[in-house]
């Protein structure tokens, strides 16, 4: 019985430590870099993420509207840039474990580029695509 309690306590300690690491570990700023990532208008699924590109008539105004929606999303924080700069990066964390997803939003010519991708693992299970498409629908893009 004592051995089972010890094993259970050690298992719980490992889970708590892993959760703390996922929530508190710094995210490499290179994950916010968008150099060379611009794509043609359309939807572009990626391994572990998703990128959407929209032709827009007024990129700064439409980026500002999208930035406002993104900042209003639960568990999402802007970590770099701003709509005024034409580039912004955000981190959205999952509700249960706090796994981070990085989203970058930027203006490239007459397009608005938005890319979301996971930080840990290999599959985001379509979460970034659903989140990005929801934001775009909400702003009317």
């Amino acid at each position: 019985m004592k051995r089972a309690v010890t094993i259970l306590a050690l298992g719980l300690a490992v889970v708590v430590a892993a959760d703390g690491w996922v929530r508190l570990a710094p995210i490499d700023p290179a994950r916010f870099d968008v150099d060379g990532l611009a794509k043609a208008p359309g939807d572009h699924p990626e391994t572990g993420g998703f990128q959407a590109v929209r032709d827009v008539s007024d990129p700064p105004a439409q980026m500002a509207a999208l930035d406002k929606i993104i900042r209003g999303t639960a568990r999402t924080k802007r970590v770099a840039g701003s709509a005024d700069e034409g580039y912004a990066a955000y981190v959205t964390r999952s509700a249960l474990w706090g796994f981070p997803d990085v989203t970058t939003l930027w203006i490239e010519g007459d397009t608005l580029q938005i890319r979301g991708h996971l930080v840990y693992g290999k599959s985001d299970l379509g979460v970034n695509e659903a989140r990005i498409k929801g934001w775009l629908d909400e702003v009317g893009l």
Side-chain angles (χ1 to χ4, degrees):
M1 177 70 167
K2 187 174 182 179
R3 185 175 190 174
V5 171
T6 301
I7 291 171
L8 183 61
L10 285 173
L12 183 60
V14 167
V15 168
V16 169
D19 181 58
W21 180 75
V22 165
R23 289 179 187 273
L24 302 174
I27 298 172
D28 182 357
R31 291 201 177 264
F32 309 136
D33 187 15
V34 296
D35 289 340
L37 294 178
K39 293 186 173 155
D43 292 341
H44 307 276
E46 301 176 356
T47 301
F50 179 78
Q51 184 167 339
V53 181
R54 300 294 185 261
D55 274 319
V56 292
S57 58
D58 186 356
Q62 289 164 313
M63 180 173 176
L66 192 53
D67 173 73
K68 183 177 179 182
I69 290 167
I70 294 170
R71 287 183 294 113
T73 302
R75 300 175 313 280
T76 299
K77 178 181 174 184
R78 187 170 58 200
V79 295
S82 71
D84 291 339
E85 295 175 39
Y87 162 83
Y90 313 83
V91 173
T92 303
R93 294 192 174 268
S94 64
L96 180 62
W97 288 104
F99 282 104
D101 288 332
V102 171
T103 302
T104 46
L105 172 64
W106 73 101
I107 296 169
E108 188 79 33
D110 289 334
T111 66
L112 201 53
Q113 309 259 338
I114 184 168
R115 179 177 185 261
H117 59 93
L118 55 73
V119 173
Y120 302 112
K122 295 185 191 251
S123 173
D124 70 346
L125 302 174
V127 170
N128 283 294
E129 180 176 358
R131 184 183 305 120
I132 289 170
K133 285 183 173 180
W135 289 333
L136 292 171
D137 286 346
E138 192 171 339
V139 81
L141 295 175

